[in-house]
């Protein structure tokens, strides 16, 4: 049985004391892994294993539920397992490997999932046991119960822009938000009209191996002018950076109704007819 009381964010000491507990599966999603693995963990490369896919103009879209069910079951993870996700922990963007896969599990109806705060860097700093190779588990069945409330579709974002009132959060750098820089994944520079910017770098401290506190996350959102009601939508270029802010706002700070737009700027900017906002 899974324990619904387990926090979305767990630290190295918590995991060390439960590493051999039945029903706890540690899933390493580093790209590439280096320096060994959390003892007993399985590995699935975030960039190449199929956690994201290309659909239309969107470069980092959520794959079909059945494809994800096959991926997860193939790793030996079943519906009765609580998954603890491990990123490298180098910076906020790197933690996105874990937060995006966390969001994916939640989108599939699997709430028994947590992120290891600080990732592999925190684990080794705490003296956690490391093995040279990942574990291999026997494949099993994984049943998905897809939900829609954690995701914003292109149509929903278009409606939000037209109607106004829905908080839109650009999780990218200030330079990309202002249209002074552009990712190769976006057709053109700029942001979604009406969006405000909160750079995710401040949400995670590599030196301390931890995410910001709930109070700090809310304070940063307030300083950025991002309202925390009316089902905020967070986006970036491919739905990677935005998963970090989604996790910080929804799972750490407990803001209700936060949605991730996985299409993000790669999908939004693909059509020249969709408006873009730039500074100046």
């Amino acid at each position: 049985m899974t324990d619904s009381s387990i926090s979305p964010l767990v630290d190295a000491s918590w995991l060390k004391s439960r590493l051999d507990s039945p029903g706890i599966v540690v899933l390493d999603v580093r790209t590439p892994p280096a320096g060994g693995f959390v003892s007993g963990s399985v590995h699935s490369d975030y960039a190449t294993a199929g956690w994201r896919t290309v659909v239309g103009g969107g470069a980092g879209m959520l794959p079909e539920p059945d494809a994800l069910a096959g991926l997860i079951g193939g790793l030996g993870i079943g519906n009765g397992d609580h998954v603890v996700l491990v990123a490298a922990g180098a910076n906020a963007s790197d933690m996105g490997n874990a937060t995006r896969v966390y969001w994916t599990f939640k989108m599939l109806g699997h709430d028994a999932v947590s992120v290891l705060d600080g990732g592999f860097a925190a684990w080794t700093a705490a003296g956690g046991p490391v093995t040279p190779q990942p574990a291999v588990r026997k494949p099993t069945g994984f049943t998905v119960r897809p939900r829609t409330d954690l995701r914003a579709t292109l149509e929903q974002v278009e409606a939000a822009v037209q109607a106004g009132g829905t908080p839109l959060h650009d999780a990218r750098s200030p330079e990309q938000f202002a249209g002074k820089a552009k990712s190769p994944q976006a057709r053109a520079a700029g942001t979604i009209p009406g969006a405000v910017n909160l750079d995710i770098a401040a949400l995670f401290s590599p030196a301390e191996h931890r995410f910001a506190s709930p109070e700090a996350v809310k304070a940063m959102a307030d300083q950025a002018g991002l309202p925390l009601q009316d089902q905020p939508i967070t986006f970036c270029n491919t739905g990677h950076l935005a998963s970090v802010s989604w996790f910080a706002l929804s799972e750490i700070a407990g803001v209700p109704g936060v949605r991730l737009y996985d299409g993000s700027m790669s999908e939004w900017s693909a059509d020249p007819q969709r408006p873009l906002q730039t500074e100046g």
Side-chain angles (χ1 to χ4, degrees):
M1 293 292 292
T2 56
D3 184 352
S4 61
S5 68
I6 298 177
S7 170
L9 193 64
V10 298
D11 61 20
S13 62
W14 182 95
L15 183 57
K16 282 170 74 174
S17 68
R18 294 164 176 82
L19 200 56
D20 298 322
S21 298
I24 299 285
V25 178
V26 182
L27 174 57
D28 185 315
V29 288
R30 290 177 294 162
T31 301
F37 298 84
V38 172
S39 181
S41 65
V42 294
H43 177 255
S44 181
D45 193 292
Y46 172 76
T48 63
W51 292 104
R52 306 197 301 162
T53 191
V54 177
V55 178
M61 304 292 284
L62 184 73
E64 288 296 321
D66 287 349
L68 289 167
L71 170 60
I72 294 166
L75 293 168
I77 297 171
N79 294 92
D81 293 320
H82 189 103
V83 182
V84 179
L85 296 160
V86 179
N91 50 46
S93 175
D94 174 81
M95 289 301 295
N97 287 34
T99 57
R100 175 61 191 253
V101 175
Y102 176 101
W103 175 81
T104 299
F105 271 101
K106 298 282 278 192
M107 280 291 295
L108 297 174
H110 189 83
D111 291 338
V113 60
S114 302
V115 169
L116 176 63
D117 204 0
F120 192 70
W123 181 254
T124 55
V130 172
T131 54
Q133 298 296 326
V136 176
R137 295 171 61 88
K138 182 181 178 181
T140 188
F142 185 83
T143 302
V144 298
R145 299 175 182 83
R147 54 194 293 188
T148 59
D149 56 317
L150 306 179
R151 184 190 196 192
T153 64
L154 172 61
E155 292 74 23
Q156 289 170 332
V157 177
E158 287 178 324
V161 170
Q162 186 171 12
T166 298
L168 299 169
H169 167 229
D170 189 333
R172 301 174 301 163
S173 69
E175 293 76 21
Q176 290 193 7
F177 171 73
K180 297 174 182 176
K182 184 184 79 67
S183 165
Q185 302 288 0
R187 181 191 60 81
T191 190
I192 298 174
V196 298
N197 181 228
L198 169 58
D199 189 343
I200 64 160
L203 296 172
F204 177 78
S205 170
E208 297 178 350
H209 304 305
R210 62 187 176 92
F211 270 96
S213 68
E215 296 76 21
V217 172
K218 290 178 181 178
M220 288 180 216
D222 183 63
Q223 188 174 16
L226 177 68
L228 298 181
Q229 69 275 349
D230 301 322
Q231 296 185 297
I233 295 172
T234 181
F235 66 93
C236 53
N237 289 305
T238 64
H240 173 80
L241 301 180
S243 75
V244 179
S245 56
W246 176 87
F247 184 83
L249 292 167
S250 175
E251 307 302 276
I252 295 177
V255 177
V258 184
R259 292 171 289 166
L260 169 64
Y261 174 33
D262 55 334
S264 286
M265 290 305 299
S266 64
E267 181 179 53
W268 181 266
S269 67
D271 184 349
Q273 297 302 312
R274 287 190 204 103
L276 292 168
Q277 174 182 299
T278 58
E279 287 187 2

